[in-house]
């Protein structure tokens, strides 16, 4: 099994990393696909999201980080992946993930979507909430690798006060 784990990773959290850790023993290789995703306003640029993901996943021998553009199933095929990995934190994730998995199956029936649940201490962690709390001055160090936490704090320092 070769897994593609697609997402925005804006930024990568300990929740994402928990999922990679669970999946990496089950497969030959995991490719973490960092989406360009033009419809979302990102805090970190694609290059920064790639760099941070690479930096915190460097200890995993069978994990690779690549940029993703276009249809996920097409990218999976081009990368030789047969399985997509997505996370399910709570029931609220289900509807969107169900729709995406069904649509991806319709687009390419040979690619399966696999869902994993993170450790419960990460079940309420999302990149968007982490960004919002950090912007408001809250402590998000429990949810991020120190490299990512430092990058987030540096990023916030560069913002004008009104955007902060
Ligand atoms: P996207 O914009 O594609 O949802 P994300 O980076 O937010 O990108 O999430 C990518 C995948 O990782 C999604 O399946 C999401 O449910 C999962 N995920 C995000 N945060 C966590 C977490 N704390 N625990 C487990 N899975 C997570």
């Amino acid at each position: 099994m070769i897994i593609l784990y697609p997402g925005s990773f804006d930024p990568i959290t300990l929740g994402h990393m928990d999922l990679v850790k669970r999946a990496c023993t089950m497969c030959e290789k995991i490719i973490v696909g960092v989406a360009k995703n033009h419809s979302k306003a990102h805090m970190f640029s694609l290059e920064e999201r790639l760099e941070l993901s690479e930096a915190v996943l460097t200890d995993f021998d069978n994990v690779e980080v690549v940029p993703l553009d276009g249809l996920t199933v097409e990218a999976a095929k081009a990368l030789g992946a047969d399985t997509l990995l997505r996370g399910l934190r709570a029931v609220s994730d289900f509807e969107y993930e169900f729709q995406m998995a069904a649509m991806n199956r319709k687009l390419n029936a040979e690619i399966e979507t696999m869902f994993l649940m993170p450790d419960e201490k990460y079940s309420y962690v999302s990149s968007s909430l982490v960004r919002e709390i950090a912007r408001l001055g809250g402590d998000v160090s429990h949810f991020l690798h120190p490299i990512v936490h430092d990058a987030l704090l540096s990023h916030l320092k560069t913002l004008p006060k009104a955007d902060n």
Side-chain angles (χ1 to χ4, degrees):
M1 177 160 67
I2 296 184
I3 294 178
L4 172 63
Y5 181 20
S8 306
F9 304 101
D10 186 31
I12 189 164
T13 68
L14 295 183
H16 291 123
M17 290 173 68
D18 180 276
L19 237 59
V20 170
K21 195 169 140 201
R22 281 168 204 283
C24 75
T25 57
M26 300 161 52
C27 66
E28 202 181 317
K29 181 163 84 173
I30 303 187
I31 305 163
V32 173
V34 181
K36 287 191 183 165
N37 205 344
H38 303 289
S39 60
K40 277 196 176 181
H42 292 119
M43 174 180 255
F44 290 100
S45 69
L46 176 66
E47 287 68 30
E48 289 169 320
R49 289 182 283 130
L50 283 165
E51 264 174 37
L52 289 174
S53 303
E54 255 159 28
V56 301
L57 296 171
T58 184
D59 288 344
F60 295 93
D61 289 338
N62 60 343
V63 178
E64 202 177 282
V65 180
V66 302
L68 273 196
D69 202 9
L71 279 177
T72 307
V73 285
E74 290 297 327
K77 210 167 118 188
L79 291 162
D82 47 32
T83 306
L84 299 176
L85 170 63
R86 297 287 291 178
L88 281 182
R89 288 162 290 191
V91 183
S92 50
D93 278 338
F94 180 78
E95 205 167 340
Y96 175 73
E97 294 295 343
F98 172 83
Q99 196 180 11
M100 284 300 295
M103 188 56 88
N104 282 333
R105 178 176 283 167
K106 188 74 189 163
L107 293 170
N108 186 339
E110 285 171 11
I111 295 180
E112 282 299 343
T113 303
M114 176 172 95
F115 296 98
L116 290 178
M117 284 161 48
D119 186 293
E120 61 197 39
K121 65 177 179 281
Y122 301 128
S123 62
Y124 57 93
V125 178
S126 70
S127 299
S128 57
L129 202 50
V130 162
R131 291 195 307 269
E132 198 176 325
I133 291 172
R135 274 198 188 104
L136 297 170
D139 177 11
V140 290
S141 59
H142 299 296
F143 312 127
L144 301 172
H145 186 286
I147 293 177
V148 179
H149 187 240
D150 286 351
L152 182 57
L153 294 186
S154 309
H155 181 89
L156 290 175
K157 275 189 203 139
T158 66
L159 295 180
K161 258 280 175 270
D163 295 351
N164 211 333

